[in-house]
Structure formats: structure tokens, C-alpha cells
Amino acid sequence: MPRIVPYTRAQSGRGRRGETVTTELDLSTAWGLYDRQVRFVTSSALFSLFLGGVGSGKSHALTAWIIRRALANPNGVGALLGRTSIDLQTVLLPSLFDRLAECQENCGVSLVANYDRGNAKLRFVNGCVVYFRPFNRIAKVRGLTLTFAGADEVEWSEADPGEIWSVFTGRLRGPGPLPGLAFATSPNGLRGITKRFVDAQRSYMTAIG
């Protein structure tokens, strides 16, 4: 089973003499991911999809993916995108802060430098900023320039899947060594963004076959 290697990150905390505090964070221990979640969270692919039913751990995996990308992209810009504002507030943000708390329990240091609730954004200690936006109103996403983004339940959104794909991929212009766009959704037939991934996989298998 693939494993998340221990992740070392210089923290923003300062010692008495101004030195940077460094801690080692073992994400595999912190998050308790099962094998499919590990493959999703640790993937370096530009585009990733986690497709699963109720109780499969989609929100857990997506918010873990967001944190890993934030750690890998110092001073980058990311976004956690919910189907609606209610989904963000009741599902995704609680899951994200649970994952952050698990990280702090594991390494003893908070990864959060600042949480600006009014402007719906969080700054990590490495300078990466993650915005929280709903995508049922796609205009709220158009103005962002992103290094990475993770979107929830895209197959059950009122927004057009083609427009979602076009807008999200068009926003990936931000700085950082590990850009990416991830989707976590329940299945809703072979359509929309799920179909894009299936077609791409079929084309790959045909090419190597």
C-alpha cells in the first residue's frame, strides 16, 4: 500500500533567539487514511478524482488533499470549493479543521498562521493561502488565480459540468511546484466530470495496449 512519507516543514513559530522551529509531520499517522484515500491524497497528478458513495470518506480525503497541497506549495494559493455555502460550512470546513487538528496532535505545532473567517480564507505557516468558496455561483471562482483547488460533489451541482471544468482549469495559474485540481464526488452516472476521467483512462489504456 502506498504511504505518505514523513513530511518535514519549517514552521512559523520562533524560538527565543529567533530561530525557525522545525517539526516532522507524519501524515499517514495523523490522518489514518485507507489505501484508496492514500493514493488520492499522495498523487502528484495534475487532475485527480475520488469517486465514492455515502460513507466512503470523500470529504476526509479531499480536505487531506488540500492540506498536503498547501504544505507542498509555500506561498501558493489554493481553494476548497463546496457545492453550496451550506456544504462548505456544515461539511467541508469542519472536516478541514479536523484534519488540521490531527496534524497538530501529531507534530505538536499548528499549521495555521491565520484564519480570516470574514473573507473566507486560511493562511498556512508556510505562506500558502486557501480560499473557501461555493461553486454553485461560478462567478465567485472566476476571479481567483490558483495553484491548486479541490471541489466537492461536482456531479450533484446545479452548475454545468462543462463550465465547472472550464472555469476551474482556467484558474490554475498560480505559483507553486505542485499545482493540481481534485474532485471528490458521489457517482451520478457516466456523465460530466466523471466521464472526462473515464474517457481519459480509456484513451490511455488504448494507447498503451
Side-chain angles (χ1 to χ4, degrees):
M1 165 177 152
R3 295 183 60 82
I4 301 175
V5 298
Y7 200 98
T8 303
R9 173 64 56 192
Q11 306 297 321
S12 64
R14 299 287 173 174
R16 293 183 180 180
R17 298 181 182 180
E19 72 273 16
T20 300
V21 177
T22 302
T23 187
E24 187 166 286
L25 173 60
D26 185 342
L27 297 179
S28 63
T29 300
W31 289 331
L33 305 174
Y34 65 84
D35 55 353
R36 197 162 142 242
Q37 290 174 319
V38 170
R39 290 196 298 271
F40 175 76
V41 173
T42 60
S43 173
S44 296
L46 184 60
F47 303 114
S48 299
L49 172 68
F50 190 99
L51 189 68
V54 175
S56 61
K58 296 185 298 295
S59 298
H60 188 128
L62 184 65
T63 51
W65 184 94
I66 286 286
I67 295 171
R68 179 177 179 265
R69 291 287 168 140
L71 293 174
N73 289 291
N75 301 311
V77 180
L80 177 59
L81 306 167
R83 181 176 50 171
T84 64
S85 296
I86 292 175
D87 284 358
L88 273 169
Q89 295 297 327
T90 61
V91 179
L92 294 176
L93 287 180
S95 180
L96 179 73
F97 283 107
D98 282 348
R99 303 293 79 73
L100 288 167
E102 289 161 357
C103 289
Q104 185 168 357
E105 290 172 6
N106 182 266
C107 70
V109 177
S110 174
L111 300 180
V112 178
N114 176 262
Y115 173 41
D116 184 346
R117 185 172 183 176
N119 291 306
K121 65 179 181 179
L122 183 148
R123 183 179 298 275
F124 283 76
V125 292
N126 65 350
C128 183
V129 175
V130 174
Y131 290 90
F132 310 124
R133 296 289 187 271
F135 60 85
N136 59 337
R137 298 180 180 177
I138 205 72
K140 290 182 177 289
V141 182
R142 289 186 186 277
L144 298 175
T145 298
L146 302 169
T147 310
F148 62 93
D152 185 54
E153 294 293 11
V154 290
E155 296 299 359
W156 295 92
S157 170
E158 294 178 0
D160 177 70
E163 186 177 21
I164 290 174
W165 181 268
S166 177
V167 171
F168 288 4
T169 55
R171 297 300 89 208
L172 294 182
R173 302 174 182 175
L178 191 61
L181 180 59
F183 302 95
T185 187
S186 302
N188 188 18
L190 187 58
R191 59 184 293 276
I193 288 171
T194 299
K195 188 175 186 300
R196 285 181 179 269
F197 278 87
V198 171
D199 288 347
Q201 188 175 48
R202 287 173 174 169
S203 296
Y204 172 76
M205 295 305 295
T206 300
I208 66 173

